[in-house]
Amino acid sequence: MKTAQLIEHIPNLNTFKKFGRVTRVVGLMIESRGPESSIGDVCKIHVQTVQHGQQTILAEVVGFRDEIVVLMPFSSLREISIGCLVEGTGKPLEVKVGPELIGKILDSMGNPYDGYTLPKGLVTVQTERQPPNPMTRPPISERMEVGVKAIDGMLTIGTGQRVGIFAGSGVGKSTLLGMIARNTKADLNVIALVGERGREVREFIERDLGPEGLSRSIVVAATSDQPALMRIKAAFTATAIAEYFRDRGMNVMLMMDSVTRVAMAQREVGLAVGEPPATRGYTPSVFAILPSLLERTGTNLKGSITAFYTVLVDGDDMNEPIADTVRGILDGHIVLDRTLANKGQYPAINVLKSVSRLMNHIAEPEHVKAAERLRELYYTYAKSEDLINIGAYKRGTSREIDEAIQYEPLITAFLKQGYKDHISMEQAVNELITLANGGASS
């Protein structure tokens, strides 16, 4: 930068630091008198301990009470005492991003879990940004191959589409995400593990993702023992990283497990600040944060973010508040069914309850027709399954049911896939069309 340009920026420089003092700690919150700041700003709390000496704890401004600043720390409250100095940065949380992070496992602050320092040459980005202007979003017109036969064949996803994976606990969400991460044709995977058990993080990386998947992925993890703010920021940090690569013309695959735990963490923050519980105990801020997070993905003029968000449904209730809200925002939903999992069908995708809202616009007419044909056969069988199983149905009574009984094992075999198997979209579609034509001609 030339000297003249530097001189022009001098009047805009803020050479003053703003400070305050901790006055109270209540539950998860820190109250301080000052510094002057805005909602979302990061502050540094300087603490003095006997064991570690001078330390700095980061906290975020989450509210105000009269003239008191309410902060929530990114780490433990244990070292904070009355009178600790609070320094305002005047900026929201920022992380460093670049191609050098590919293959790394990061925390919510963007720091590597292995303890190594970040490489040089990275770019600083804010974790909270506005979604793209809706009038600058190009329409989704291309298919995104994910390498899972049931999805590519029956629930075709577009490049830049946002899809929810809805399931109860232990039905195979993480395994399905690992399959997609290994098999997808996207340029890069960004994976957010929010509120996971500490054991599961390493298991997902080593078993489900594997070395092949990790070599083209960036993982952001916040375990269940970390503060609520860290769990929320994991989602925003992963989204900001995906946006960085999208703005450089890449087709990014963002996977978040799970958006329900982001909502639960935001509920913790809201209740601690003093928000009234509304729908089933969730505070109003939960239903404000979800669209602001989920709408950031998708297409823009430079690239795309195809997103898969897992939703942990409470008691397999697909109409609970978070599931219902997320389903209304996204461009499709994939339902994993515990009954199918108990039968040994993996991935346990219930194609009758799942839908891709863009499939009819991006798939070939023959492909769409074949998928509809198999869905119709599968529905006919499901509707009559109880009668068939107890022997109350007599063959020859209904031609449609007879045909459904004949092809049910073939459809189930088509929907099954080993978690290490990779099946191309072309192969999946050809198999689907062949199966549908065979059913139609019998």
Side-chain angles (χ1 to χ4, degrees), residues 32 37 40 73 110 126 137 141 182 184 214 233 244 251-252 260 266 270-271 282 321 338 345 355 357 376 424 427:
S32 72
S37 52
Q126 292 187 357
R137 288 184 183 266
S141 58
R182 290 194 308 273
T184 180
L214 183 59
K233 293 304 177 185
Y244 168 87
N251 292 323
V252 183
T260 306
Q266 181 61 37
L271 291 173
Y282 286 100
R338 191 178 301 277
Q345 179 177 323
V355 65
R357 295 180 181 173
E376 180 184 342
S424 69
Q427 182 181 348

Side-chain angles (χ1 to χ4, degrees), residues 251-320:
N251 292 323
V252 183
M253 178 71 75
L254 173 66
M255 286 170 277
M256 190 176 295
D257 186 15
S258 72
V259 72
T260 306
R261 295 196 181 103
V262 177
M264 293 171 69
Q266 181 61 37
R267 178 174 60 182
E268 286 183 43
V269 174
L271 291 173
V273 172
E275 281 189 82
T279 310
R280 291 203 192 176
Y282 286 100
T283 57
S285 62
V286 173
F287 302 100
I289 197 176
L290 287 175
S292 66
L293 174 65
L294 303 181
E295 285 289 348
R296 287 170 60 181
T297 53
T299 59
N300 70 2
L301 293 174
K302 299 175 182 176
S304 69
I305 301 174
T306 306
F308 284 89
Y309 299 96
T310 68
V311 181
L312 185 63
V313 292
D314 186 14
D316 293 338
D317 179 11
M318 296 301 298
N319 295 315
E320 60 95 19

Side-chain angles (χ1 to χ4, degrees), residues 14-15 30-31 87 138 170 194 204 222 229 262 272 378 391 403 416:
N14 185 1
T15 58
I30 303 164
E31 296 183 0
E87 178 187 344
V194 182
F204 174 82
L229 201 58
V262 177
Y378 206 48
E403 191 176 28
K416 283 185 178 182

Side-chain angles (χ1 to χ4, degrees), residues 92 128 130 142 171 191 298 320 338 399 406 433:
E128 297 197 31
Q130 292 297 317
E142 296 181 2
V171 189
I191 304 169
E320 60 95 19
R338 191 178 301 277
R399 185 180 64 83
Q406 180 182 355
I433 293 172

Side-chain angles (χ1 to χ4, degrees), residues 69-196:
V69 179
V70 182
L71 304 120
M72 177 170 273
F74 288 100
S75 56
S76 172
L77 290 161
R78 195 168 300 162
E79 309 290 351
I80 297 171
S81 60
I82 299 298
C84 284
L85 190 67
V86 181
E87 178 187 344
T89 64
K91 298 185 296 184
L93 180 65
E94 296 177 332
V95 295
K96 293 186 177 296
V97 190
E100 295 82 3
L101 294 183
I102 297 175
K104 299 285 186 184
I105 299 100
L106 311 174
D107 63 15
S108 302
M109 313 293 285
N111 299 314
Y113 264 110
D114 57 15
Y116 289 99
T117 57
L118 290 170
K120 294 182 180 180
L122 301 179
V123 177
T124 301
V125 298
Q126 292 187 357
T127 59
E128 297 197 31
R129 297 172 58 187
Q130 292 297 317
N133 186 319
M135 299 308 295
T136 64
R137 288 184 183 266
I140 296 172
S141 58
E142 296 181 2
R143 298 178 301 174
M144 170 62 73
E145 180 177 325
V146 300
V148 178
K149 189 165 49 169
I151 298 176
D152 285 339
M154 300 290 288
L155 304 162
T156 308
I157 303 301
T159 301
Q161 187 171 348
R162 302 160 304 145
V163 182
I165 299 175
F166 294 74
S169 57
V171 189
K173 297 184 302 298
S174 297
T175 302
L176 180 58
L177 287 183
M179 291 175 65
I180 295 171
R182 290 194 308 273
N183 299 334
T184 180
K185 293 298 184 181
D187 299 325
L188 174 70
N189 301 315
V190 179
I191 304 169
L193 303 177
V194 182
E196 293 283 352

